[in-house]
Amino acid sequence: EVQLQASGGGLVQAGGSLRLSCAASGFTFDPHAIGWFRQAPGKEREGVSCISISSGNTYYGDSAKGRFTISSDNAKNTVYLQMDSLKPEDTAVYYCAALNGYGCSVVDETLYAYWGQGTQVTVSS
């Protein structure tokens, strides 16, 4: 059974940091890509970042550039999203998702076949 377990969310003050984790099981980690998406109340889900497990290539949405860093520990089948300089507008439920292939996308979420349950990130001002 394919499972993606997102964790690490919480409440943090503006300017603070959080590190999200996405632990994957039930499928071969490589070749896949793992993406992070988020959805704030009343808004559409948006792509935050993704990483190709095979190549290590990373991509970021505009909201994440310069503040977030995605990385992977292939031995642990886990992808991390380090979020620094958090802003209240980063408040959202963050989801990780898996894409079967060598590339990744932060634009087309339909490419992702498997989704985790989400973890809440709340940034207070």
Side-chain angles (χ1 to χ4, degrees):
E1 180 185 3
V2 173
Q3 286 191 337
L4 295 170
Q5 183 70 38
S7 62
L11 174 64
V12 64
Q13 288 188 333
S17 299
L18 282 174
R19 188 177 80 156
L20 305 184
S21 299
C22 178
S25 62
F27 63 93
T28 304
F29 207 45
D30 181 9
H32 274 85
I34 301 294
W36 284 98
F37 296 80
R38 69 185 186 185
Q39 188 165 23
K43 295 186 177 181
E44 293 186 353
R45 190 157 56 192
E46 66 168 332
V48 177
S49 183
C50 67
I51 183 167
S52 169
I53 301 303
S54 297
S55 67
N57 289 339
T58 59
Y59 302 88
Y60 296 91
D62 290 341
S63 63
K65 289 178 182 177
R67 298 187 300 127
F68 295 178
T69 303
I70 192 170
S71 62
S72 69
D73 184 337
N74 294 357
K76 295 182 178 179
N77 282 12
T78 301
V79 168
Y80 303 98
L81 184 68
Q82 177 67 40
M83 304 188 296
D84 299 317
S85 302
L86 283 163
K87 305 174 182 179
E89 49 265 44
D90 294 317
T91 295
V93 177
Y94 284 70
Y95 300 90
C96 61
L99 178 159
N100 186 9
Y102 293 94
C104 72
S105 171
V106 294
V107 177
D108 188 357
E109 67 175 51
T110 65
L111 297 174
Y112 291 82
Y114 308 110
W115 290 80
Q117 85 290 358
T119 184
Q120 175 70 46
V121 171
T122 303
V123 184
S124 63
S125 57

